[in-house]
């Protein structure tokens, strides 16, 4: 069987998660050339929820980058939140959320948890993380999302949830928000509710500003406090290197630093026009890629052909989006944590990089490249400088995300699998 993960875990996965992995890996496609290494089928499009066994659900939780982040000076009438224009793009780098319902016996014997938001309500939701994120269960966004969904839809709160963490925390990559959204998507699938149902969106917005974005799933322009859908763009594939300094940044502290020297943001109109234009040519490239693929499996040879058919489109997208990258929270972040400035300065001078920026409240920096090989080269070089670094690709809701962490395919070009093979810290 393909191993599932090369990432070091703080805690071993429970047995039921291991058997899910076995079942998922059993769907791996055999290699088209029997002499070559086995390849795997991408098990999941970002938007789908897998059900490897009865009452068991698995879904991916992609990271994001902000290609435009325009924070407005704070108005005290806004409940502590800042008005924000945000254009986010999901990435192939992702966490995985495994969930199964507790049966009646389990439920009865499980220690109940008192819910932080409503101490009167006890429930039987347990959350385990492969890597500790430093918060108690009841403050984990996954727990909060599951609990709020049960309350909103009047369902019994009895689940076991395991999060296989790959997205580094406090990086501006949105891991905690995406984990919450993945949990919500899994429950929507379980209860046959649309993840775009207004009640579901309200739950998402209540958990955090970025959570609803991950339900919409494509590159999206959001307004409000960064949580209201303005415009969604078709998916665009741009290779990305992520460079994460040793230190993280707290979102709360980044906004507090911004308040010390607030600036009026640029408007995101040009970036919207650009994303529309590049996603149009991307769609045409995609058709060619789909034809080259001829199948929905991560097959090395097919994917390599598809990637080369796609290359001019990715190059143009990287170049054009790079001209317009904007984040007026970045200065505050770099004042707070100067090593973020070092990472950005370094990224900008790498010959393969078309454009680089701090993502959200940092501390990660993303660098757009024209090819996946270029993104891999930048990530490899970054690791030699002791950064945590990843190469991945921007994706959309219907794009394939490879679940096998040892996938040998070159599907990074289309399914972001490269994130799977290069995400360990050097
Ligand atoms: C900066 C951004 C950019 O996408 O994300 P990250 O870089 O953290 O991933 C977002 O604005 C963060 O969204 P999210 O991470 O969901 O934040 P939340 O949990 O809702 O809020 C954390 C804290 O950030 C501050 N906050 C958040 C959003 C906003 N528009 N104004 C704020 O002032 C508030 O102090 C809030 O208590
Ligand atoms: N499921 C989760 N995964 C990671 N962090 C979580 C989770 N739930 C709550 N947190 C808390 O949220 C903080 C910020 O999370 P994260 O999403 O990684 O950063 P960012 O907002 O910069 O993208 C973490 O430091 C952690 O304390």
């Amino acid at each position: 069987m393909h191993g599932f993960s090369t990432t070091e875990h703080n805690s071993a996965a429970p047995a039921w998660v291991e058997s899910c992995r076995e079942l998922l890996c059993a769907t791996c496609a055999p290699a088209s050339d029997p002499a070559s290494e086995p390849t795997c089928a991408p098990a999941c499009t970002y938007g789908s929820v897998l059900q490897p066994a009865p009452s068991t659900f698995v879904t991916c939780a992609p990271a994001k980058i902000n290609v435009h982040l325009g924070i407005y000076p704070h108005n005290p009438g806004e409940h502590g939140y800042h008005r924000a224009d945000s254009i986010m793009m999901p990435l192939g780098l992702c966490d995985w959320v495994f969930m199964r319902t507790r049966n009646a016996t389990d439920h009865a014997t499980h220690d109940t948890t008192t819910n932080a938001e409503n101490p009167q309500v006890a429930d039987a939701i347990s959350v385990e993380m492969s890597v500790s994120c430093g918060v108690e269960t009841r403050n984990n966004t996954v727990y909060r999302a599951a609990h709020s969904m049960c309350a909103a839809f009047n369902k019994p709160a009895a689940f076991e949830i395991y999060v296989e963490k790959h997205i580094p925390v406090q990086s501006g990559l949105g891991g905690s928000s995406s984990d919450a959204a993945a949990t919500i998507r899994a429950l929507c699938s379980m209860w046959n509710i649309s993840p775009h149902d207004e009640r579901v969106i309200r739950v998402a917005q209540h958990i955090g500003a970025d959570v609803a974005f991950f339900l919409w799933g494509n590159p999206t322009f959001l307004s409000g406090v960064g949580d209201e859908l303005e415009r969604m763009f078709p998916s665009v594939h741009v290779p990305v290197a992520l460079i994460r300094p040793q230190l993280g940044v707290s979102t709360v502290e980044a906004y507090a630093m911004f308040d010390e020297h607030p600036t009026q943001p640029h408007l995101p109109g040009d970036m919207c026009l650009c994303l529309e234009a590049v996603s149009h040519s991307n769609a045409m490239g995609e058709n060619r890629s789909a034809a080259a693929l001829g199948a929905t499996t991560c097959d090395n040879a097919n994917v390599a052909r598809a990637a080369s058919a796609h290359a001019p489109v990715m190059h143009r997208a990287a170049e054009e989006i790079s001209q317009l990258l904007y984040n007026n929270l970045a200065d505050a972040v770099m004042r707070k944590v100067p090593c973020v400035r070092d990472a950005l300065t370094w990224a900008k001078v790498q010959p393969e990089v078309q454009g680089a920026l701090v993502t959200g409240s940092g501390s990660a920096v993303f660098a757009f490249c024209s090819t996946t090989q270029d993104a891999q080269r930048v990530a490899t070089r970054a690791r030699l400088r002791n950064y945590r670094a990843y190469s991945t690709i921007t994706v959309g809701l219907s794009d394939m995300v490879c679940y096998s962490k040892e996938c040998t395919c070159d599907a990074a070009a289309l399914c972001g699998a490269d994130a799977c093979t290069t995400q360990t810290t050097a």
Side-chain angles (χ1 to χ4, degrees):
M1 140 192 167
H2 295 298
F4 197 87
S5 173
T6 56
T7 306
E8 283 180 9
H9 288 184
N10 277 2
S11 64
W16 67 272
V17 171
E18 289 297 354
S19 55
C20 274
R21 290 172 174 170
E22 297 273 348
L23 289 165
L24 291 173
C25 286
T27 65
C28 286
S32 52
D33 170 4
S36 69
E37 287 291 306
T39 58
C40 68
C44 196
T45 59
Y46 162 9
S48 64
V49 176
L50 305 169
Q51 199 178 348
S55 308
T56 307
F57 301 81
V58 181
T59 190
C60 68
K64 59 83 181 167
I65 49 173
N66 302 78
V67 290
H68 177 100
L69 183 62
I71 308 298
Y72 291 80
H74 189 238
N75 170 355
E78 284 165 343
H79 310 293
Y81 273 69
H82 295 67
R83 203 183 132 203
D85 294 329
S86 179
I87 301 181
M88 292 191 267
M89 298 175 84
L91 299 178
L93 170 66
C94 53
D95 294 341
W96 287 89
V97 175
F98 295 76
M99 179 188 293
R100 74 167 178 177
T101 52
R102 287 183 192 284
N103 62 34
T105 335
D106 280 353
H107 192 163
T109 54
H110 181 75
D111 284 345
T112 53
T113 307
T114 303
N115 182 257
E117 286 161 18
N118 185 351
Q120 270 70 50
V121 179
D123 58 43
I125 300 172
S126 64
V127 179
E128 261 189 85
M129 311 281 286
S130 62
V131 175
S132 161
C133 66
V135 291
E136 282 179 46
T137 296
R138 62 189 182 176
N139 292 327
N140 194 306
T141 52
V142 165
Y143 173 86
R144 293 177 57 219
H147 189 274
S148 302
M149 284 290 286
C150 292
F153 292 93
N154 199 23
K155 301 279 188 188
F159 308 106
E160 286 173 275
I161 305 175
Y162 179 80
V163 183
E164 186 180 294
K165 206 70 196 150
H166 297 283
I167 304 172
V169 297
Q170 292 203 333
S171 305
L173 293 168
S176 60
S177 305
S178 191
D179 293 349
T183 303
I184 292 173
R185 266 204 323 277
L187 291 171
C188 286
S189 163
M190 194 184 295
W191 301 335
N192 211 10
I193 298 166
S194 162
H196 304 140
D197 183 299
E198 267 179 31
R199 293 165 295 175
V200 176
I201 300 293
R202 272 201 300 278
V203 168
Q205 288 167 328
H206 175 69
I207 305 301
D210 283 349
V211 181
F213 156 73
F214 289 105
L215 294 178
W216 289 307
N218 270 9
T220 305
F221 166 31
L222 303 113
S223 64
V225 295
D227 63 345
E228 287 173 22
L229 174 65
E230 284 286 337
R231 255 162 101 175
M232 202 151 70
F233 305 93
S235 78
V236 182
H237 299 136
V238 189
V240 179
L242 296 172
I243 298 129
R244 204 289 193 169
Q246 295 298 330
L247 299 177
V249 178
S250 134
T251 303
V252 176
E253 287 177 15
Y255 276 101
M257 288 297 279
F258 175 84
D259 288 341
E260 288 181 12
H261 300 284
T263 54
Q264 281 296 335
H266 292 178
L267 295 175
D270 287 346
M271 181 61 92
C272 287
L273 290 175
C274 172
L275 283 178
E276 226 156 59
V278 294
S279 54
H280 179 68
S281 28
N282 198 76
M284 297 195 307
E286 202 74 329
N287 291 339
R288 285 199 299 274
S289 301
L293 266 172
T296 53
T297 57
C298 264
D299 175 298
N300 271 335
N302 278 334
V303 173
R305 273 199 300 278
S308 69
H310 206 46
V313 183
M314 292 203 292
H315 175 74
R316 189 185 147 211
E319 206 173 50
E320 297 192 3
I321 300 172
S322 290
Q323 307 295 317
L324 297 167
L325 297 176
Y326 180 77
N327 180 352
N328 71 336
L329 191 58
D331 264 343
V333 171
M334 294 188 288
R335 269 187 283 122
K336 181 83 193 164
V337 183
C339 61
V340 178
R341 191 182 303 279
D342 300 339
L344 181 62
T345 306
W346 180 84
K348 280 184 169 170
V349 297
Q350 300 311 300
E352 299 88 349
V353 170
Q354 300 282 344
L357 188 66
V358 175
T359 175
S361 62
S363 62
V365 163
F366 64 92
F368 278 146
C369 299
S370 297
T371 65
T372 51
Q373 290 79 3
D374 280 353
Q376 281 161 2
R377 273 192 281 269
V378 173
T380 304
R381 224 176 286 136
R383 274 182 227 119
L384 294 175
R385 295 180 68 89
N386 263 341
Y387 291 118
R388 291 172 73 179
Y390 310 75
S391 69
T392 184
I393 193 159
T394 56
V395 297
L397 202 59
S398 53
D399 286 317
M400 295 182 278
V401 179
C402 186
Y403 67 82
S404 172
K405 304 302 178 235
E406 285 177 5
C407 177
T408 53
C409 75
D410 191 21
L414 289 171
C415 77
D418 176 58
C420 305
T421 53
T422 58
Q423 63 191 341
T424 45
T425 312

